[in-house]
Amino acid sequence: MPHPSLSCSPTDRATAWLRRRLGRAVVVSYAAALFLPGPGLWLRRDHTVPLGTPSGLPVSTAPLLLALVLFCAGLQVSVRELGRLVRRPTALVAGLALHLAIPLLVIPAVAFALSRSPDTDGGSGLVTATILIVAMPVAAGATVWTGKSDGDQPTMVGLVLASTLLSPLTIPLVIGALTPLLSDDYAKTLSTTAGTAHGGFALVGVVLPCAAGILCRLALPRTWRSRALAGTVPVSLVASLVLTYVNASGALGSFLASPRPLLFGAALLVAALVCLLSFAFGRAAARLLRLDAPAASSLTLACGMNNSSASAVLLTTTLPDKPHLLLPVLAYGLLQKTAANRVVATASRP
C-alpha cells in the first residue's frame, strides 16, 4: 500500500526521490571520489576559521558532517514514541545484546582467516579497520530503511539512540576485548584509539550531536518544530552523501596513487563477510525470539547497519598516515546499504 503524501512541496518530492535512490546515490558518491577526488581531498584537510585571534579556530569537515547527520537523527526522535519500548523491550534488549556480541563472534573468525594470508602483518591492518566498524553504534541511517519497509520505527530509533548513548562505554569495551588479536604495532595504535573514543570522540562526536537534536525537538515551539523537521531529512541525506564522498576521496585517492589490487580484494571480501554474518545473526535472533515482522525487520537492520561514517572519521583522525584502511570501511558502508535494501524488499512482500 503506498504511503500517503503529507506534502507535495518540491523539497518533499526531491527528498522522496533521493530516498528511493539512496543506494545509487552512494555509488555516485564513490564514483565522484574516484574520478574527481580534488574537492574531497581539500575538504579532508583541517581549515582555520578566523575569529579575530592569531591562531583562529581549527575546523575539520568530516567530524562536522558526522555531527550534522547525528543531530538530524536526534531531531527526528519522538520521545513519546520511545515510551512504547518500556512496555515491549524485547527487540531493544536483544538488539543491544547482539550489538555487543556480534563483534566478539565475528572478528576472531576474520582474524584467524587473515592470519593465513601472505600479508606481512597477518592482516592486522584490515582487522583493525573492521574492529572499528563493528564497534560503532547503530547507524542513524537505519531509520530511513526502517521507514521504507514499514518496520518498527520506535524500536529502531530506540536502538540507534541507546547504542549511541552507550557508545562511550561500548566502543572502548569492544576494542579492548579484540586488541589481543592484532600485531603489536596495531594493538598499540588501537589501544590509543580506544582511549580517544573513551576520552572524547564517542561523547563529543557521537553522543552530544544526537542529544542536542533531541533537546532541540523538545524545546522548539510546535510551528518551528514542524519547519525544522521538514528540512531535517534532506539535510541529513545530503550531509551523509558528502561525508561518504569526503571519506572515499582519501581512501580511493591513495589507492589510485599506489594501486594494491590484493588489498582491495581482501578489503572487499572481509567487509562482505562481516556484513553478511551481522545481518544473518540479526535475522536468526529475530526468528528465535518470534518477533512480529516490523520488529524483526528493525532488529535485523540494527544488527547489520553500523555507523561506518563514525568509523571513517575515527580512522582518519587517529590513523591519518594509513588512508588505505578506509577501504574496508567504505566497502562495508556500501554493502550494508545493499543488504538493507534486500531486507526491506523481503519485509515488503505480502
Side-chain angles (χ1 to χ4, degrees):
M1 181 181 296
H3 294 282
S5 176
L6 298 179
S7 175
C8 294
S9 69
T11 301
D12 290 331
R13 288 197 295 270
T15 301
W17 181 88
L18 183 57
R19 267 184 163 179
R20 290 193 299 269
R21 295 162 177 81
L22 189 57
R24 299 176 193 175
V26 172
V27 174
V28 170
S29 298
Y30 282 32
L34 183 63
F35 296 108
L36 189 65
L41 293 174
W42 181 81
L43 288 171
R44 280 174 58 86
R45 296 196 297 266
D46 289 338
H47 301 277
T48 302
V49 178
L51 293 177
T53 60
S55 59
L57 177 66
V59 174
S60 185
T61 304
L64 283 179
L65 288 170
L66 175 62
L68 179 59
V69 171
L70 291 170
F71 174 83
C72 291
L75 195 62
Q76 296 176 67
V77 172
S78 173
V79 178
R80 183 175 301 175
E81 288 183 357
L82 292 179
R84 286 178 46 196
L85 297 179
V86 177
R87 297 188 296 272
R88 295 191 307 167
T90 303
L92 177 65
V93 174
L96 291 175
L98 284 170
H99 189 71
L100 282 175
I102 286 175
L104 304 180
L105 296 172
V106 172
I107 298 300
V110 172
F112 176 79
L114 288 176
S115 67
R116 308 284 176 168
S117 69
D119 195 353
T120 55
D121 65 2
S124 283
L126 289 178
V127 176
T128 298
T130 308
I131 290 173
L132 291 179
I133 294 171
V134 296
M136 291 299 120
V138 179
T143 57
V144 176
W145 296 97
T146 302
K148 291 182 66 174
S149 66
D150 290 329
D152 190 340
Q153 193 69 279
T155 294
M156 177 57 74
V157 171
L159 285 167
V160 171
L161 182 59
S163 64
T164 299
L165 293 175
L166 291 172
S167 59
L169 298 176
T170 58
I171 293 176
L173 180 64
V174 171
I175 291 177
L178 298 173
T179 297
L181 299 173
L182 305 175
S183 62
D184 290 341
D185 290 342
Y186 279 105
K188 185 181 299 184
T189 301
L190 198 59
S191 296
T192 303
T193 303
T196 300
H198 185 271
F201 173 80
L203 178 63
V204 176
V206 179
V207 173
L208 289 185
C210 188
I214 296 173
L215 291 176
C216 281
R217 181 185 177 108
L218 292 174
L220 286 174
R222 185 183 299 272
T223 304
W224 290 13
R225 185 190 311 160
S226 300
R227 293 176 182 174
L229 289 175
T232 294
V233 174
V235 168
S236 177
L237 289 175
V238 172
S240 178
L241 291 171
V242 174
L243 181 58
T244 298
Y245 166 68
V246 170
N247 290 328
S249 296
L252 297 180
S254 67
F255 177 75
L256 289 178
S258 178
R260 298 168 63 183
L262 288 178
L263 173 64
F264 180 79
L268 187 60
L269 183 61
V270 168
L273 177 61
V274 174
C275 185
L276 176 64
L277 289 175
S278 298
F279 275 95
F281 275 120
R283 187 167 186 175
R287 289 180 175 178
L288 184 64
L289 294 171
R290 298 182 179 180
L291 299 176
D292 57 30
S297 175
S298 296
L299 178 61
T300 304
L301 289 172
C303 287
M305 299 196 72
N306 292 301
N307 197 327
S308 57
S309 296
S311 308
V313 171
L314 188 55
L315 264 174
T316 302
T317 54
T318 57
L319 294 167
D321 59 330
K322 299 183 185 298
H324 64 278
L325 294 185
L326 283 171
L327 287 175
V329 178
L330 297 175
Y332 192 92
L334 180 60
L335 290 169
Q336 71 177 355
K337 292 178 178 65
T338 303
N341 191 55
R342 177 77 175 176
V343 171
V344 167
T346 302
S348 300
R349 291 173 187 167

